[in-house]
Amino acid sequence: MTRYNRIFDNNKQWVASMKEKDADFFEKLAKDQTPDFLYIGCSDSRVPANEIMGLEPGDVFVHRNVANVVASIDLNVMSVINYAVAHLKVKHIIVCGHYNCGGVRAAMLPRDMGILNPWLRNIRDVYRLHQEELDGITDEHARYNRLVELNVQEQAVNVIKTAVVQKSYLNNQYPTVHGWVFDLKTGLLKDLNLDFAEILKNIQKIYDLTGDA
Ligand code: CO
């Protein structure tokens, strides 16, 4: 049997195992979703959102793209954030990058990447913003790892720049935004311990969107 055909057998086995734990699992699942978390991560096949967090279907709203970029003119990610905050009322938004990220690696290479250029520009801009620190790291791999972390940090800041997040936080004291990095070599998540309140306070000097039009 091919790997493709096996998927439907895997699916039936998964259904059986979920029902074994909770006979009504799918009846409950079909009713509604009330996830507490929005996860924005990389599309990389080695970083599956639910599995690394030990969460079940229904627990986490997920958006993934190349190198976990949050660009203000990307209708896709902005729609996800708006829906998650305004309608699902998630309590936490997590931007999760990972070491050995091909997207971040590509952004470090001085070459024309064709259709990927405008996407990778977001990451090159992160490099420019932190050029002094990054250029001070002589070991290339360490510099690459640090850019992965700084990219998570800056994409988390981009989440905090949105009106929907600022207004919800003002009215409800949630969501808070977190930055994590997944280490493929150990399977462990590293919390970058971003200071959400401090970042919000600082960026609102310029990006305060809590007023009405
Ligand atoms: Co990646």
Side-chain angles (χ1 to χ4, degrees):
M1 209 185 330
T2 66
R3 290 182 84 185
Y4 173 79
N5 287 327
R6 211 175 293 148
I7 288 172
F8 289 89
D9 287 336
N10 292 347
N11 172 249
K12 288 189 189 104
Q13 282 169 24
W14 175 72
V15 170
S17 73
M18 295 307 278
K19 282 183 172 171
E20 210 174 282
K21 283 187 271 180
D22 179 356
D24 302 326
F25 182 82
F26 291 100
E27 281 78 11
K28 289 185 214 157
L29 194 67
K31 273 189 191 136
D32 203 3
Q33 63 166 336
T34 53
D36 282 333
F37 310 104
L38 164 60
Y39 170 101
I40 300 169
C42 184
S43 295
D44 193 302
S45 63
R46 300 165 296 178
V47 195
N50 285 63
E51 281 91 333
I52 63 173
M53 292 187 284
L55 295 177
E56 299 289 348
D59 288 340
V60 55
F61 202 61
V62 174
H63 177 79
R64 291 168 68 180
N65 62 38
V66 171
N68 40 273
V69 166
V70 178
S72 68
I73 57 165
D74 175 13
L75 197 56
N76 191 345
V77 72
M78 287 299 139
S79 302
V80 167
I81 293 171
N82 266 269
Y83 187 74
V85 175
H87 298 279
L88 298 175
K89 305 198 180 304
V90 295
K91 306 300 181 289
H92 303 272
I93 300 178
I94 297 134
V95 176
C96 185
H98 65 102
Y99 297 123
N100 299 341
C101 181
V104 173
R105 182 80 200 132
M108 289 178 80
L109 300 173
R111 67 181 65 140
D112 180 358
M113 297 283 179
I115 190 74
L116 274 173
N117 287 341
W119 196 253
L120 298 180
R121 230 307 269 291
N122 293 294
I123 306 164
R124 292 186 203 273
D125 287 347
V126 172
Y127 197 110
R128 186 166 62 89
L129 207 55
H130 296 274
Q131 187 167 5
E132 206 175 294
E133 178 188 344
L134 287 163
D135 284 352
I137 303 170
T138 44
D139 180 71
E140 199 193 332
H141 201 75
R143 191 161 69 240
Y144 169 29
N145 283 348
R146 185 59 186 146
L147 182 56
V148 165
E149 295 176 354
L150 290 169
N151 182 49
V152 166
Q153 179 185 309
E154 292 306 326
Q155 304 312 330
V157 170
N158 287 341
V159 174
I160 302 170
K161 284 176 190 165
T162 62
V164 72
V165 167
Q166 291 182 25
K167 285 183 175 173
S168 174
Y169 190 75
L170 185 70
N171 296 327
N172 312 308
Q173 293 74 56
Y174 64 77
T176 48
V177 180
H178 313 269
W180 297 352
V181 179
F182 179 69
D183 190 336
L184 292 165
K185 286 188 185 150
T186 63
L188 293 172
L189 285 167
K190 176 178 175 180
D191 189 347
L192 298 179
N193 291 314
L194 303 180
D195 189 338
F196 172 77
E198 187 67 17
I199 293 171
L200 180 65
K201 197 176 80 186
N202 285 334
I203 66 161
Q204 279 185 331
K205 287 169 193 163
I206 298 171
Y207 303 91
D208 187 353
L209 302 182
T210 54
D212 288 319

